[in-house]
Amino acid sequence: MAQKKSTFWNMLLTLSGIALVAAFVLSFVEGQTKDAIDKAKTNRELEALAAVVKPFDNNPFAEKLSLPIPHKKEKLELYPARKNGVVNSYAIKTYSDKGFAGRIEMIVGFFMDGRINNFVITQSQETPGLGTKINDEKFKAQFHGLYPGRTVLKVRQDGGEIDAVTAATISSRAAVDAIRRAIDAYHNFYTGNK
């Protein structure tokens, strides 16, 4: 069999065919895995929610509210936790784009009096063993029971009351930033400010 002459049009046709097949395969795989990925993310967020609020018997995701972020077009999500029909705590899905490796997403839980209960990082690209320690209990324990208005929510290096994770000050600042964003959004929602 004779070898075809290598011309621009032959190469273009061959590469186009390969790209078309690759696009089809990627599209097929994405379609097959999308539901499983979405379900895993929902389960991870439900577990995080359960870790930051009081026990509940409702579906907080079905009752979510959108909270505008002051002076921004984005919104955060508030999830009320109910037991026997009464809201006993709430959680806010928040984020910070100030992490060492980019965006950090978390769910922050609050008691009804506004005190912080707990938080769980749901998505992060922070450095393993350093920045990821913002999800460790030692760092998180500093926030449990804090009244946002009575505490300077900044790391100590910035004049606040929060001890940053050693060698991960940027990640610690990002965690505090995300928590403050949730507090501000809830406060503006609660007081009716926009």
Side-chain angles (χ1 to χ4, degrees):
M1 183 160 115
Q3 186 176 5
K4 288 189 175 183
K5 188 175 178 184
S6 181
T7 67
F8 172 77
W9 295 110
N10 284 343
M11 288 188 285
L12 181 65
L13 186 62
T14 302
L15 287 175
S16 296
I18 291 170
L20 186 63
V21 170
F24 175 76
V25 169
L26 287 173
S27 175
F28 177 77
V29 169
E30 194 262 341
Q32 295 296 311
T33 59
K34 185 176 184 337
D35 290 340
I37 291 169
D38 289 345
K39 185 176 180 182
K41 183 178 180 186
T42 299
N43 287 341
R44 189 172 56 247
E45 288 182 352
L46 188 58
E47 288 173 11
L49 188 97
V52 301
V53 296
K54 290 184 173 184
F56 56 91
D57 56 15
N58 67 321
N59 179 355
F61 290 125
E63 297 182 37
K64 77 177 176 185
L65 300 170
S66 292
L67 303 179
I69 301 173
H71 313 294
K72 298 202 178 206
K73 292 182 180 179
E74 301 168 79
K75 294 187 177 189
L76 300 182
E77 295 172 350
L78 179 138
Y79 305 100
R82 296 179 189 273
K83 187 74 171 180
N84 299 321
V86 177
V87 176
N88 62 20
S89 54
Y90 59 93
I92 297 177
K93 185 177 178 181
T94 184
Y95 71 93
S96 175
D97 288 324
K98 297 180 179 179
F100 183 75
R103 182 173 276 224
I104 293 173
E105 294 181 6
M106 68 172 65
I107 294 181
V108 184
F110 295 90
F111 295 112
M112 292 309 295
D113 61 4
R115 288 179 299 130
I116 299 169
N117 179 23
N118 198 357
F119 70 86
V120 173
I121 306 292
T122 56
Q123 183 176 331
S124 163
Q125 300 297 319
E126 299 302 281
T127 308
L130 289 176
T132 56
K133 288 186 177 183
I134 59 175
N135 209 29
D136 289 354
E137 288 305 316
K138 183 177 179 182
F139 180 73
K140 290 164 54 168
Q142 300 177 86
F143 297 88
H144 181 71
L146 285 183
Y147 283 100
R150 299 181 191 164
T151 305
V152 180
L153 269 176
K154 293 181 180 179
V155 294
R156 291 199 191 278
Q157 290 89 327
D158 299 335
E161 299 178 27
I162 304 299
D163 290 322
V165 173
T166 302
T169 305
I170 295 172
S171 300
S172 302
R173 283 182 180 127
V176 172
D177 178 58
I179 292 168
R180 288 179 62 191
R181 179 174 279 109
I183 292 165
D184 291 345
Y186 181 74
H187 175 73
N188 281 302
F189 166 77
Y190 185 75
T191 60
N193 295 329
K194 297 282 180 191

